[in-house]
Every structure is written in structure tokens, then in C-alpha cells.
């Protein structure tokens, strides 16, 4: 009898606390703080810093610093990206099955993966003393780092749905995150490019001289190569320190809310069930297909633009600064695109934002442009890069909300949605990077020379100008099929809010009944 009284008392107290919490929720007082948004946004920097450094510089590092053949470099780039793509849905599946802990469901993945990720990243930029197993060395640590950074980024991406139950908060946090992530690309480009750019690089005038140097490298060339390798290691060390710092800020400043979405489920599902449900949702397929082509366009630009600037446009001493201008332009224009998509809608922002770079790519591919025009093209490219960064992550939550409304009995798939989107883009980028690097080998690319054959210059123009333009146009045509416009998004938002209000009312009735008992 005493125990029943104690239980009734506890139930009544719980009812009072939950009723008060519900009242506060109705009054909109549980808004996500600016500090939490900033801490959440900072967590997105490591992925972009390391990804930008690898995307812009790994190819040219393997070719001109490690002095690996283009064929071997293509094996590393292709295999690493494909492996990275495979790990995304697998990590997303295991994350979705994770249980709640004292740190949350997603945060333990972020915390535990960080120390191993920074070690493997540093070893990517270290040139081992042996030459026979270099391909295996770089392939191992590249794949290892991609696995570990996936264990960081997939939970971090899914964290968007767990930091607040309000769509406005999630959109606002996404805006903060995109600003910091594009700023992270600036940091990655600046750190890697400016440190490496301080080293005077020597080269020979043509391939015949390069062949004569194969048998014996001059002391001056050897010293320059050694200094360049040390510069890449210093840059890697700085980036690793920033990676750890951002992970600490994220883990201390952001807390997962288990009640962020009342429609989420703790019940694990099988991998194939999750795959079938996600891939059967029409708006999701149409969204990722469109972004697949537009992402490929910018990945081809990212992977080959340094070589294009260095050899085709002959801006050898300025290429790192031009890359930096692209990222600065992207950072400054993210707030503009955030305003644009709220004012005119997300689909309209896709059409205007991503297509704005096309005229400038045509100019770069057709004309022999000077340094000033190259900087103008870089600014225009940054404008489109910002839109390409912001829009997919802003539109994916809309697709998830649509899925929840159409599948109310199958919640809890947020991590799978995000991870499969990343899977398709990374797999396609791996294929494109592998083919593009292999095409340079077929075109006759030579390491360590100042002037590449004309066939290499033509190949670089195709990879940086013609192919991206074609993929952007295909992607924009596919976006015409995407059904969630602003009107549909607002309808879904109202429907979800109605369901949540009904759930709150049902909870209030249950609590009141338990309290009376």
C-alpha cells in the first residue's frame, strides 16, 4: 500500500512536470540557442577542411610530389572514393541501430572516431622511404581515413534531426552549418595551399629532360622536392589540430534531444528493410538523382582545377591563390543563398545558383584567359559552389518529413536517408576521379615538367569545362521532376505539426488519467 502511494505520488509529479513541458513547447520556448547552433555548425568543419584539402591537392600531390604514375594515382583515387561510398550506408545502418547512451545516440561515434581519423589523415601526407609499396601505403591510409571520417560525418549529418523538433530551428542550424562548412573549405584550401605555395617548386622544360633526370636527380631538385614534402606534412599537422578542436567543441556544446522528433523510433530495422523503404520514396530518388549530376560537375572541377590552372592556363605560381578565391567567394555568398531560398523557394535557388557558373566555364574552356579573367571565373565558381553546398542539405529534411507523413509506421530512418545520398555522390565521384586521372595517363601526362603535351591540356579542358557543363544541364533538367515545391513543403509542415499537437494532447490525457488514478 505504501509502495502504491509512492508510485501514485511519483506519477502525479511526473504528470505535472510533463504538462509544464508541454505547455512550454506549445508556447515555442524550446528554441535552439544561438550558441548551440554555432557549436553544431563548428562540428561540420573537419569534414570539409580535410575533404577540400584532399579534393584539391591529393591528385597533384600524388603526381608531382610523390611522383607516382597517373595510372597508379587513378587506382588510389578511384578505390578510395568507392570505398568511402560503400562505408556511408553501412555506417548509416549501424548508427540507426545504435542505442541511446549518456552522450546520446550519435555523439559516441563522433568522439571515438576522431583520434584515429587524425592519425590516418596525417599519414596520407607522409612519403614513406620505400617505393615498391607506395600504392598500398596510400590506398590503406586513404581508405582508413575515409572510413573514420564517415563515422564522424554520417552521425553528424543525422544530428540535424535530433537537435530540435522545430523545422525553423533545423533550417537555421543548417544555415549556420553551411556557412561554417564553406568557411572550412576556405581553411582547408588556405592552409594546404598557402603552406605548400611558400615552397619554390622546380621543374624541367619538357619530357625528354625529365627522362634524363630519372637516372639521377640534381641536389637542387632533390632539396626542392624534400621541402615540398615537408610543407605537405606541416599542413596536415595543422589540419589535424583543427579537426580535434572542432570535435571537442561539438561534443561539449551540442546535446541530442531524444524528444526532438516524436515520430522517431528506437526500434532497429534490418539493413534491407531500410534500403527498400528509402529507395522506394519517389521524391528522395528524384532529389538525389538531380544532385548526383550537379555534384559530379563540381567534383570534376575540384579534382582537376589545380592541374588546369597549373598547366593549361600556366598560372603555376598563382593556382593556390585562385583556389582560395573560389572558397572565399563561396563563403561570402552562402548567406545570400540562404536568403534567396527562403524568399523564392529552394527549387528556384537550385536553377539560379548552380547554373550561374556555366557561362564562365565556357569562357575558360574556349578562350586563353589571362590572370585577371581567371580570378573573375574563380569568383563566379564560388557563387555556384555555395549553392551546391547549401541546397542538398537544406532539401533533404523536407524529403524526410514527406517520408514520415507517408510512412507513419516506419520512422527512424534519418541516418539512412543522409548516408545513401552521400553514398551515391561519393561512388559517382570515385568513378569520375578515377576515369579523369586515368585519362591524363592516356593523354601522356608526365610528372615534374613545366609544359605538358597539348593532348593533356585538351583533356584538362574537357574535364574542367565541357564535362561539368553537361552534367549541370542534365541535373537541372532532372530537378523539374522533383515534386516538393514551397507549397508542398508548407503543407507537409502543417500536417506534421498537427500530428505532433495531437500526440501532445494524447500524452496530456494519459498523464491526467494516471494522475487521477
Amino acid at each position: 500500500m505504501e509502495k502504491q502511494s509512492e508510485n501514485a505520488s511519483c506519477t502525479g509529479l511526473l504528470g505535472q512536470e510533463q504538462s509544464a513541458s508541454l505547455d512550454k513547447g506549445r508556447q515555442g520556448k524550446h528554441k535552439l540557442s544561438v550558441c548551440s547552433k554555432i557549436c553544431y555548425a563548428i562540428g561540420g568543419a573537419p569534414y570539409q577542411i580535410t575533404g577540400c584539402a584532399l579534393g584539391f591537392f591529393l591528385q597533384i600531390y600524388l603526381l608531382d610530389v610523390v611522383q607516382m604514375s597517373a595510372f597508379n594515382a587513378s587506382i588510389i583515387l578511384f578505390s578510395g572514393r568507392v570505398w568511402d561510398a560503400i562505408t556511408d550506408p553501412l555506417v548509416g545502418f549501424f548508427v540507426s541501430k545504435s542505442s541511446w547512451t549518456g552522450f546520446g545516440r550519435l555523439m559516441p561515434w563522433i568522439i571515438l572516431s576522431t583520434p584515429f581519423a587524425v592519425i590516418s589523415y596525417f599519414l596520407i601526407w607522409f612519403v614513406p622511404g620505400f617505393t615498391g609499396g607506395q600504392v598500398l601505403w596510400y590506398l590503406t591510409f586513404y581508405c582508413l581515413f575515409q572510413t573514420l571520417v564517415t563515422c564522424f560525418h554520417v552521425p553528424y549529418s543525422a544530428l540535424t534531426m535530433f537537435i530540435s523538433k522545430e523545422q525553423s530551428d533545423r533550417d537555421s542550424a543548417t544555415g549556420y552549418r553551411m556557412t561554417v562548412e564553406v568557411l572550412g573549405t576556405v581553411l582547408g584550401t588556405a592552409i594546404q595551399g598557402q603552406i605548400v605555395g611558400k615552397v619554390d617548386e622546380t621543374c624541367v622544360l619538357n619530357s625528354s629532360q625529365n627522362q634524363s633526370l630519372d637516372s639521377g636527380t640534381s641536389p637542387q631538385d632533390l632539396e626542392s622536392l624534400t621541402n615540398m614534402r615537408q610543407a605537405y606534412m606541416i599542413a596536415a599537422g595543422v589540419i589535424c589540430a583543427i579537426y580535434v578542436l572542432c570535435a571537442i567543441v561539438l561534443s561539449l556544446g551540442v546535446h541530442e534531444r531524444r524528444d526532438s522528433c516524436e515520430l522517431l523510433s528506437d526500434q532497429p530495422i534490418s539493413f534491407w528493410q531500410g534500403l527498400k523503404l528509402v529507395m522506394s520514396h519517389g521524391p528522395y530518388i528524384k532529389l538525389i538523382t538531380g544532385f548526383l549530376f550537379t555534384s559530379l560537375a563540381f567534383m570534376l572541377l575540384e579534382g582537376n582545377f589545380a592541374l588546369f590552372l597549373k598547366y593549361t592556363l600556366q598560372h603555376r605560381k598563382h593556382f593556390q591563390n585562385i583556389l582560395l578565391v573560389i572558397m572565399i567567394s563561396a563563403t561570402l555568398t552562402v548567406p545570400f543563398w540562404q536568403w534567396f531560398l527562403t524568399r523564392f523557394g529552394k527549387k528556384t535557388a537550385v536553377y539560379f545558383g548552380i547554373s550561374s557558373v556555366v557561362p564562365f566555364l565556357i569562357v575558360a574552356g574556349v578562350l586563353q584567359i589571362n590572370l585577371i579573367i581567371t580570378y573573375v571565373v574563380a569568383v563566379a565558381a564560388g557563387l555556384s559552389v555555395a549553392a551546391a553546398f547549401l541546397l542538398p542539405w537544406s532539401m533533404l529534411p523536407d524529403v524526410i518529413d514527406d517520408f514520415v507523413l507517408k510512412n507513419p509506421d516506419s520512422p527512424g530512418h534519418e541516418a539512412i536517408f543522409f548516408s545513401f545520398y552521400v553514398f551515391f555522390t561519393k561512388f559517382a565521384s570515385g568513378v569520375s576521379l578515377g576515369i579523369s586521372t586515368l585519362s591524363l595517363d592516356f593523354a601522356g601526362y608526365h610528372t615534374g615538367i613545366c609544359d605538358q603535351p597539348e593532348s593533356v591540356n585538351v583533356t584538362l579542358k574537357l574535364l574542367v569545362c565541357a564535362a561539368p557543363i553537361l552534367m549541370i544541364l542534365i541535373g537541372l533538367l532532372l530537378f523539374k521532376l522533383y515534386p516538393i515545391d514551397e507549397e508542398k513543403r508548407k503543407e507537409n509542415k502543417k500536417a506534421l505539426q498537427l500530428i505532433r499537437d495531437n500526440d501532445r494532447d494524447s500524452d496530456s490525457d494519459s498523464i491526467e488519467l494516471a494522475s487521477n488514478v
Side-chain angles (χ1 to χ4, degrees), residues 165-236:
K165 66 180 69 177
E166 299 294 334
Q167 179 65 38
S168 59
D169 277 342
R170 298 195 317 235
D171 285 344
S172 177
T174 300
Y176 278 82
R177 170 191 166 186
M178 291 300 106
T179 301
V180 172
E181 286 194 350
V182 178
L183 182 60
T185 64
V186 174
L187 282 176
T189 308
I191 292 169
Q192 195 85 6
Q194 297 305 310
I195 291 177
V196 170
K198 297 293 184 182
V199 180
D200 292 329
E201 184 183 11
T202 61
C203 61
V204 296
L205 295 178
N206 53 55
S207 57
S208 60
Q209 286 180 284
N210 183 59
Q211 291 172 357
S212 66
L213 288 173
D214 288 342
S215 57
T217 305
S218 68
Q220 183 180 0
D221 293 334
L222 184 60
E223 181 182 2
S224 174
L225 185 61
T226 301
N227 292 337
M228 184 65 71
R229 291 175 175 178
Q230 290 176 349
Y232 273 98
M233 290 180 62
I234 293 171

Side-chain angles (χ1 to χ4, degrees), residues 18-62:
Q18 292 187 357
S19 297
S21 175
L22 289 169
D23 290 338
K24 289 181 181 179
R26 290 192 185 97
Q27 297 170 6
K29 293 183 179 179
H30 287 301
K31 285 289 184 180
L32 195 64
S33 68
V34 174
C35 181
S36 295
K37 293 176 185 178
I38 292 174
C39 291
Y40 167 74
I42 289 174
Y47 182 79
Q48 298 301 334
I49 293 174
T50 56
C52 190
L54 289 168
F56 274 132
F57 292 96
L58 183 59
Q59 184 189 54
I60 201 169
Y61 167 78
L62 293 174

Side-chain angles (χ1 to χ4, degrees), residues 72-84:
N72 288 337
S74 69
I75 294 175
I76 295 171
L77 295 171
F78 168 75
S79 302
R81 286 297 183 98
V82 170
W83 172 254
D84 185 24

Side-chain angles (χ1 to χ4, degrees), residues 377-422:
V377 172
V379 172
L383 187 69
S384 279
V385 166
F389 266 107
L390 175 64
L391 291 168
W393 301 110
S394 179
M395 296 171 78
L396 274 172
D398 299 336
V399 172
I400 295 174
D401 287 341
D402 186 74
F403 175 85
V404 170
L405 284 173
K406 294 178 179 177
N407 301 272
D409 298 326
S410 301
H413 307 306
E414 291 75 20
I416 298 179
F417 268 99
F418 284 104
S419 62
F420 270 104
Y421 164 70
V422 178

Side-chain angles (χ1 to χ4, degrees), residues 299-448:
M299 288 173 185
L300 277 174
L301 274 171
E302 181 187 59
N304 298 282
F305 203 59
L307 291 173
F308 178 74
L309 293 171
K310 187 176 179 180
Y311 294 113
T312 305
L313 300 184
Q314 289 294 308
H315 299 321
R316 177 179 296 273
K317 296 183 178 180
H318 300 277
F319 80 91
Q320 70 274 6
N321 298 324
I322 296 170
L323 296 178
L324 184 58
V325 167
I326 294 176
M327 294 299 105
I328 292 176
S329 172
T331 302
L332 295 177
T333 52
V334 163
F336 166 76
W337 288 119
Q338 180 70 20
W339 167 83
F340 190 96
L341 66 87
T342 55
R343 176 66 177 83
F344 299 101
K346 298 177 182 180
K347 287 188 71 172
T348 305
V350 168
Y351 296 134
F352 279 89
I354 295 179
S355 64
S356 61
V357 75
V358 171
F360 297 93
L361 291 180
I362 294 174
V363 171
V366 174
L367 304 178
Q368 185 63 34
I369 58 178
N370 58 29
L371 185 60
I372 295 176
I373 301 299
T374 303
Y375 276 108
V376 174
V377 172
V379 172
L383 187 69
S384 279
V385 166
F389 266 107
L390 175 64
L391 291 168
W393 301 110
S394 179
M395 296 171 78
L396 274 172
D398 299 336
V399 172
I400 295 174
D401 287 341
D402 186 74
F403 175 85
V404 170
L405 284 173
K406 294 178 179 177
N407 301 272
D409 298 326
S410 301
H413 307 306
E414 291 75 20
I416 298 179
F417 268 99
F418 284 104
S419 62
F420 270 104
Y421 164 70
V422 178
F423 164 77
F424 286 113
T425 55
K426 286 185 176 180
F427 184 86
S429 72
V431 174
S432 65
L433 275 178
I435 293 175
S436 64
T437 309
L438 191 60
S439 65
L440 292 176
D441 184 55
F442 291 148
Y445 182 91
H446 297 282
T447 61

Side-chain angles (χ1 to χ4, degrees), residues 486-502:
E486 282 303 294
E487 183 179 353
K488 179 65 174 177
R489 188 182 70 84
K490 291 176 181 178
E491 289 178 4
N492 288 345
K493 182 179 179 180
K494 290 180 181 179
L496 281 173
Q497 190 61 46
L498 181 62
I499 293 175
R500 288 163 179 160
D501 289 342
N502 290 336

